[in-house]
Amino acid sequence: MINFTLGKNNLDGLILKLKELDKDKTWTVKVSPYKSTRSLEQNSYWWKLLTEWQLYYSNLKNVKESNSFVPNIDEWNEYFKDKYLTEKKPFGKKIIVIQKSTKDLKLNDMGEFLDTVKNFMYNKGFIFNEEEI
């Protein structure tokens, strides 16, 4: 499988990649407009942030003393998507709820989402050590 972002200056690179394909196999090639979705670095950052937040939250004194439910990382992921990436839209006489996925966010939108979540965490006393990334 080849993932390739084609621009005006790298057509030759794509041609070289295509020439490297096994000629005894049949291949499907799909070309579509580029969509600047969140980066792999942003995604990695997101999951590290959630990991550190989950550890911080589970060690809070009031959470430990009350034996409160401590969400796991996937549950925190859903919580923040529900809190910040959910839209309510009219659909006839009903209201439907649409939750975006972080994988569908554009680069800038993912940056804003991360900043919003970090601000939420900061207000709860959590400071993410970004130097450890």
Side-chain angles (χ1 to χ4, degrees):
M1 181 170 154
I2 298 173
N3 285 322
F4 194 88
T5 302
L6 178 62
K8 64 181 179 181
N9 297 323
N10 64 348
L11 181 59
D12 292 338
L14 176 60
I15 292 169
L16 286 174
K17 292 233 180 242
L18 292 172
K19 286 181 177 180
E20 292 173 2
L21 293 174
D22 185 345
K23 292 174 181 39
D24 294 328
K25 293 183 179 180
T26 302
W27 298 92
T28 298
V29 177
K30 177 183 176 184
V31 178
S32 58
Y34 179 72
K35 181 180 163 189
S36 65
T37 56
R38 64 146 200 233
S39 68
L40 293 175
E41 291 82 12
Q42 284 176 318
N43 187 53
S44 176
Y45 181 93
W46 171 239
W47 289 101
K48 288 176 184 172
L49 177 65
L50 287 177
T51 300
E52 293 299 317
W53 167 252
Q54 196 274 340
L55 289 171
Y56 170 82
Y57 185 85
S58 66
N59 286 316
L60 287 177
K61 184 178 179 186
N62 63 334
V63 172
K64 286 177 125 178
E65 288 176 357
S66 66
N67 285 331
S68 296
F69 169 73
V70 178
N72 65 35
I73 296 167
D74 291 323
E75 291 164 334
W76 278 117
N77 180 49
E78 291 304 316
Y79 172 80
F80 288 118
K81 288 190 315 182
D82 185 59
K83 186 169 183 64
Y84 298 116
L85 298 179
T86 298
E87 295 179 61
K88 294 180 180 178
K89 294 186 174 185
F91 185 73
K93 294 182 179 181
K94 296 182 179 184
I95 300 291
I96 59 172
V97 177
I98 299 171
Q99 185 185 76
K100 292 181 185 176
S101 171
T102 58
K103 71 177 180 169
D104 297 326
L105 294 178
K106 293 186 176 174
L107 203 61
N108 290 341
D109 295 334
M110 184 64 178
E112 289 176 17
F113 173 68
L114 288 169
D115 288 344
T116 301
V117 171
K118 286 191 327 188
N119 188 47
F120 168 90
M121 293 172 174
Y122 177 78
N123 288 328
K124 303 290 184 192
F126 174 74
I127 298 173
F128 185 50
N129 186 359
E130 297 187 35
E131 293 177 5
E132 292 182 11
I133 296 178

